């Protein structure tokens, strides 16, 4: 999708639609265009002393691979386990907006950063994608010592579709246990509007949700973090964009349920776009400082 097509669609929106529906469409088109731009962005330079182990296999499919960013002299280090977004059908573990600022900030502070791929639509539905993330997590925990990481000091982090996947594992950790993963310290959800899939599918939504979750309410329920949570998860931080009308309400509802189950949950509202929530994490800002404070409290 190039900028000219985006501009044309925005014109159609203005002529044919009004109010919040047009605004939602406009925002979605712009975000998709920005994500496509990010996919083609050149890789950022790594912090001095960083060792990278690329394409570690956790399954037989070529998409079942993760990259490991290792600090110099790492030993017993905490681990951020990052899951990219992309509408459950595209994206990559090595994209600059997924790893650049996060690696630049946390690796020099002694944190191992792992970024994983997973199988995607159209052949792999979100519930199985969550199992792929769990398989990757289990493999990373088993091998963490090879990279100076501590298998008992993992935090899951995901953006957009990836945020949905890590949130689903947080809500129903049995999905992770079945793949050999053991408990992690906390979860950071970066701007998911799919914490309550049932609510999303019953309301006005983008077509990509139909492609991901289909038309069967039973499938919505099975893939919905909100509906699958029956006990307090590990500490949970929901970062949401205050510019989106669906993200923060779902974040507050999800965290409210975490707290009702006597768990620790926090919401961090940011005046950033959906793509900026991901790209800017790790760049110097109060936003990065607050996420870092959460991580340090659970590591």
């Amino acid at each position: 999708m190039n900028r000219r097509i985006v501009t044309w669609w925005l014109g159609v929106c203005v002529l044919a639609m009004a109010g919040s529906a047009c605004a939602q469409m406009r925002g979605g088109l712009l975000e998709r265009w920005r994500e496509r731009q990010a996919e083609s962005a050149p890789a950022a330079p790594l912090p001095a002393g960083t060792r990278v182990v690329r394409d570690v296999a956790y399954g037989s499919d070529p998409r079942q691979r993760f990259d490991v960013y290792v600090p110099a002299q790492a030993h017993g280090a905490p681990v951020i386990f990052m899951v990219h977004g992309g509408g459950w059908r595209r994206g990559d573990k090595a994209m600059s907006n997924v790893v650049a600022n996060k690696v630049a900030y946390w690796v020099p502070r002694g944190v191992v950063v792992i970024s994983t791929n997973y199988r995607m639509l159209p052949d792999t539905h979100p519930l199985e994608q969550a199992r792929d993330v769990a398989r990757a997590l289990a493999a990373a925990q088993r091998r963490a010592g090879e990279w100076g990481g501590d298998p008992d000091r993992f935090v899951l982090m995901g953006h957009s579709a990836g945020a949905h996947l890590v949130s689903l594992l947080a809500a129903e950790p049995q999905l992770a246990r079945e793949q050999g993963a053991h408990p992690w310290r906390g979860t950071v959800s970066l701007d998911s509007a799919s914490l309550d899939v049932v609510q999303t599918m019953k309301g006005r939504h983008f077509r990509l949700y139909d492609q991901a979750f289909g038309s069967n309410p039973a499938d919505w329920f099975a893939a919905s973090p909100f509906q699958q949570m029956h006990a307090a998860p590990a500490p949970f931080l929901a970062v949401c964009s205050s510019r989106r009308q669906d993200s923060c309400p779902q974040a507050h509802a999800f965290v409210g349920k975490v707290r009702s189950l006597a768990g620790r949950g926090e919401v961090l509202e940011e005046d950033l776009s959906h793509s900026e929530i991901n790209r800017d994490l790790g760049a110097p800002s109060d936003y990065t400082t607050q996420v870092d404070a959460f991580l340090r409290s659970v590591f």
Side-chain angles (χ1 to χ4, degrees):
M1 182 183 296
N2 62 40
R3 193 179 187 94
R4 182 174 297 177
I5 294 173
V6 171
T7 303
W8 179 79
W9 269 106
L10 295 182
V12 171
C13 176
V14 170
L15 290 172
M17 304 174 69
S20 62
C22 183
Q24 185 178 21
M25 179 180 178
R26 180 174 66 246
L29 287 169
L30 286 173
E31 288 297 337
R32 288 176 65 186
W33 180 77
R34 290 180 182 128
E35 288 175 359
R36 291 293 176 86
Q37 292 298 104
E39 288 175 17
S40 60
L46 295 171
T50 303
R51 178 167 66 95
V52 185
V53 184
R54 298 198 184 276
D55 294 322
V56 178
Y58 65 89
S60 59
D61 192 288
R63 294 169 293 180
Q64 294 173 313
R65 303 287 186 271
F66 58 76
D67 296 338
V68 187
Y69 298 84
V70 185
Q73 299 178 334
H75 179 73
V79 181
I80 294 174
F81 189 85
M82 179 67 197
V83 183
H84 70 77
W88 300 276
R89 69 170 47 250
R90 67 178 192 276
D92 187 79
K93 57 185 169 54
M95 287 167 53
S96 179
N97 64 334
V98 175
V99 294
N101 281 324
K102 301 175 187 70
V103 168
Y105 185 86
W106 277 289
V107 169
R109 289 167 170 79
V111 179
V112 175
V113 175
I114 297 177
S115 183
T116 193
N117 276 349
Y118 48 94
R119 294 171 297 162
M120 294 182 282
L121 295 172
D123 58 309
T124 308
H125 56 79
L127 189 56
E128 189 59 29
Q129 291 178 20
R131 293 190 178 101
D132 258 12
V133 172
R135 293 179 184 108
L137 172 63
Q141 288 174 328
R142 286 194 300 269
R143 299 185 60 181
E146 298 177 27
W147 311 303
D150 185 336
D152 295 321
R153 299 176 70 194
F154 272 62
V155 166
L156 302 191
M157 180 182 291
H159 172 248
S160 193
H164 162 259
L165 299 177
V166 299
S167 299
L168 182 56
L169 294 178
E172 181 43 280
Q174 180 62 22
L175 289 170
R177 289 193 292 267
E178 288 170 354
Q179 305 307 321
H182 55 79
W184 53 99
R185 295 289 185 91
T187 304
V188 180
S189 168
L190 301 176
D191 207 36
S192 171
S194 303
L195 295 173
D196 187 337
V197 174
V198 175
Q199 180 187 72
T200 296
M201 298 306 292
K202 287 183 176 180
R204 184 188 295 272
H205 57 267
F206 291 112
R207 183 181 176 187
L208 68 89
Y209 292 111
D210 296 311
Q211 296 167 343
F213 300 112
S215 59
N216 186 344
D219 293 335
W220 306 345
F221 190 91
S224 178
F226 186 87
Q227 274 75 26
Q228 291 303 312
M229 181 167 50
H230 303 295
F236 190 94
L237 174 63
V239 180
C240 61
S241 169
S242 60
R243 300 179 189 179
R244 302 175 70 199
Q245 61 180 335
D246 49 357
S247 181
C248 287
Q250 287 212 15
H252 282 286
F254 188 86
V255 166
K257 186 170 182 179
V258 170
R259 292 173 177 171
S260 75
L261 294 168
R264 175 186 168 191
E266 303 173 25
V267 177
L268 178 58
E269 295 193 15
E270 289 294 324
D271 184 20
L272 296 169
S273 72
H274 180 64
S275 59
E276 290 168 345
I277 290 283
N278 186 38
R279 183 197 68 198
D280 293 358
L281 181 58
S285 65
D286 182 61
Y287 165 40
T288 294
T289 299
Q290 291 186 75
V291 174
D292 185 56
F294 173 84
L295 292 174
R296 290 182 180 279
S297 75
V298 299
F299 278 149

